[in-house]
C-alpha cells in the first residue's frame, strides 16, 4: 500500500472541512510528533510498526500494538510515536443520533480479529466520504456503530498528570526508581509525610490509590521494555521492580489483558 507522509497537516485543515463527512486517512507518520490540536469529529486511531503516546490536557495514554484509542471531538491532544515510521490508521466521525456515552470519553481498547479485518478494509478509502456515497458511507458509519459492541473491555493504559507540586516530585521519584520495589511506607518516609496524608494526596489529586498508580506505571514501563528484543521477560520484570516472575506475569495479564510471554511472542505479528 502507498503510505503518504503527514506533509499537509491534513488533521489541521481537512478533517472538519465538511460537517457530515467521515474522513479516512492511512499514513506513515513521517514526523517525530503531531503537535497539540483538536477537531470537531471523533477520532478512531490504530497504529502499526511501533508504540504511540497520546497526551491530553489531563492524561498521558499509552497505545500499544493490537489496541486502538477513541478520542472524542473537541479534546485537545498531541501524538508522540516511537518512530516516524509508525503507520497510523485514522477514521474521523461526525456525531450521529445513535451515539452512546461510549463516544464521550477517551479510552483505549483491545482490537479483535474481526475489527482488524474491518480496519484493513478501510485502507481502500482516502479523504472525505460523503452521505451520498452509498454503500461506502453506510459501511464506514457501521464501523463506528460496532465499536461499543466489540470494545467491552477498556484498558487502564493511562496515567493522570499530577498538578500538586509535591506529588509531581513523588511521581518523578517513582519513575526514576522504577527498578526498585518501593513500598508506600518508604515513599512516605522519603518525602516526610504521613502515610494517611500521602494516601489522601494520591486519591484527591489522581483519583486513584498509590498502589493503583504505581502498578500501572510499572506495567506501562514494562510494555515499553518488552519492545526491546534484547530483554527477556525476566529481565523486564527485574527492571520494573519485580523479583518474582509469576507475580509480574499475573499483574501484567491483569492490567494489559495478555501475559508478557504471549505479548513478546505475538508482537512481530502485531506490528
Amino acid at each position: 500500500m502507498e503510505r503518504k507522509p503527514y506533509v499537509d497537516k491534513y488533521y489541521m485543515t481537512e478533517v472538519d472541512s465538511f460537517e457530515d463527512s467521515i474522513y479516512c486517512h492511512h499514513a506513515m507518520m513521517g514526523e517525530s510528533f503531531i503537535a497539540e490540536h483538536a477537531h470537531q469529529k471523533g477520532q478512531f486511531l490504530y497504529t502499526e510498526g511501533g508504540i504511540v503516546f497520546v497526551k491530553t490536557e489531563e492524561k498521558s495514554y499509552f497505545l500499544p500494538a493490537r489496541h486502538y484509542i477513541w478520542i472524542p471531538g473537541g479534546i485537545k491532544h498531541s501524538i508522540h510515536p516511537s518512530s516516524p515510521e509508525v503507520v497510523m490508521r485514522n477514521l474521523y466521525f461526525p456525531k450521529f443520533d445513535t451515539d452512546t456515552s461510549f463516544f464521550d470519553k477517551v479510552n483505549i481498547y483491545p482490537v479483535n480479529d474481526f475489527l482488524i479485518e474491518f480496519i484493513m478494509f478501510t485502507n481502500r478509502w482516502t479523504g472525505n466520504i460523503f452521505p451520498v456515497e452509498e454503500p461506502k458511507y453506510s459501511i464506514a458509519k457501521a464501523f463506528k456503530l460496532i465499536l461499543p459492541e466489540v470494545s467491552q473491555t477498556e484498558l487502564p493504559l493511562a496515567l493522570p498528570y499530577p498538578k500538586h507540586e509535591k506529588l509531581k516530585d513523588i511521581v518523578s521519584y517513582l519513575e526514576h526508581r522504577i527498578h526498585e520495589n518501593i513500598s508506600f511506607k518508604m515513599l512516605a518516609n522519603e518525602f516526610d509525610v504521613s502515610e494517611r496524608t500521602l494516601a489522601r494526596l494520591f486519591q484527591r489529586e489522581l483519583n486513584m490509590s498509590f498502589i493503583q498508580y504505581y502498578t500501572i506505571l510499572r506495567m506501562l514501563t514494562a510494555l515499553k521494555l518488552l519492545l526491546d528484543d534484547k530483554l527477556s521477560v525476566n529481565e523486564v520484570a527485574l527492571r520494573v521492580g519485580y523479583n518474582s516472575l509469576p507475580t509480574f506475569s499475573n499483574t501484567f495479564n491483569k492490567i494489559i489483558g495478555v501475559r508478557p510471554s504471549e505479548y513478546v511472542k505475538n508482537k512481530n505479528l502485531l506490528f
Side-chain angles (χ1 to χ4, degrees):
M1 121 186 163
E2 180 186 358
R3 294 170 176 173
K4 295 178 291 185
Y6 281 79
V7 292
D8 59 353
K9 303 291 190 296
Y10 80 95
Y11 48 86
M12 298 292 290
T13 59
E14 298 179 29
V15 168
D16 293 326
S17 294
F18 300 93
E19 185 178 351
D20 59 352
S21 72
I22 297 170
Y23 195 92
C24 184
H25 196 88
H26 298 256
M28 187 181 293
M29 269 286 295
E31 52 189 320
S32 57
F33 76 101
I34 292 178
E36 185 178 75
H37 64 286
H39 22 74
Q40 295 172 19
K41 292 175 180 170
Q43 180 179 2
F44 169 96
L45 170 60
Y46 179 79
T47 64
E48 299 166 1
I51 58 176
V52 167
F53 282 96
V54 178
K55 297 183 179 181
T56 68
E57 293 178 314
E58 298 296 327
K59 292 183 179 182
S60 178
Y61 295 83
F62 179 80
L63 182 60
R66 198 84 184 196
H67 293 76
Y68 79 87
I69 187 169
W70 174 261
I71 306 170
I75 298 291
K76 290 182 179 179
H77 59 282
S78 58
I79 299 174
H80 308 257
S82 56
S83 85
E85 283 71 48
V86 169
V87 175
M88 301 177 70
R89 303 190 180 280
N90 297 284
L91 287 164
Y92 299 85
F93 297 93
K95 285 186 178 294
F96 297 129
D97 293 339
T98 50
D99 283 359
T100 65
S101 59
F102 174 90
F103 298 105
D104 294 336
K105 54 187 177 180
V106 180
N107 257 325
I108 290 175
Y109 303 92
V111 170
N112 60 20
D113 291 341
F114 169 73
L115 195 55
I116 283 182
E117 289 294 326
F118 211 155
I119 292 167
M120 299 315 295
F121 181 85
T122 69
N123 186 49
R124 67 194 67 192
W125 302 331
T126 301
N128 288 296
I129 303 172
F130 297 101
V132 295
E133 297 181 78
E134 293 290 10
K136 184 162 53 170
Y137 189 85
S138 290
I139 294 171
K141 182 177 180 180
F143 186 99
K144 183 182 183 183
L145 294 179
I146 66 168
L147 290 179
E149 301 300 319
V150 299
S151 308
Q152 300 294 323
T153 308
E154 59 188 67
L155 295 183
L157 300 179
L159 286 173
Y161 292 127
K163 294 182 173 62
H164 191 280
E165 289 303 320
K166 182 177 278 290
L167 198 53
K168 286 180 182 178
D169 293 338
I170 291 170
V171 166
S172 178
Y173 180 87
L174 292 172
E175 290 173 346
H176 286 93
R177 290 166 178 79
I178 200 72
H179 60 285
E180 301 176 24
N181 187 4
I182 299 172
S183 71
F184 190 61
K185 185 179 183 64
M186 289 166 55
L187 192 64
N189 289 338
E190 177 68 27
F191 284 88
D192 195 27
V193 294
S194 70
E195 292 182 41
R196 186 177 182 181
T197 298
L198 187 58
R200 286 178 172 174
L201 193 58
F202 268 91
Q203 199 63 55
R204 186 182 72 239
E205 295 293 324
L206 302 178
N207 200 31
M208 61 176 67
S209 68
F210 160 75
I211 194 64
Q212 286 174 315
Y213 186 94
Y214 191 34
T215 301
I216 294 172
L217 175 64
R218 294 163 94 182
M219 292 306 107
L220 294 188
T221 304
L223 266 175
K224 288 183 281 186
L225 293 172
L226 284 170
L227 294 172
D228 187 339
D229 292 330
K230 299 170 186 173
L231 294 177
S232 68
V233 173
N234 192 52
E235 287 172 322
V236 169
L238 291 172
R239 290 277 191 99
V240 295
Y242 283 83
N243 293 318
S244 166
L245 186 57
T247 301
F248 168 70
S249 181
N250 289 338
T251 306
F252 189 93
N253 185 43
K254 183 178 179 181
I255 299 296
I256 307 301
V258 63
R259 294 200 173 274
S261 56
E262 289 296 310
Y263 186 84
V264 170
K265 188 164 67 176
N266 293 330
K267 70 180 183 181
N268 290 331
L269 298 175
L270 301 180
F271 292 165

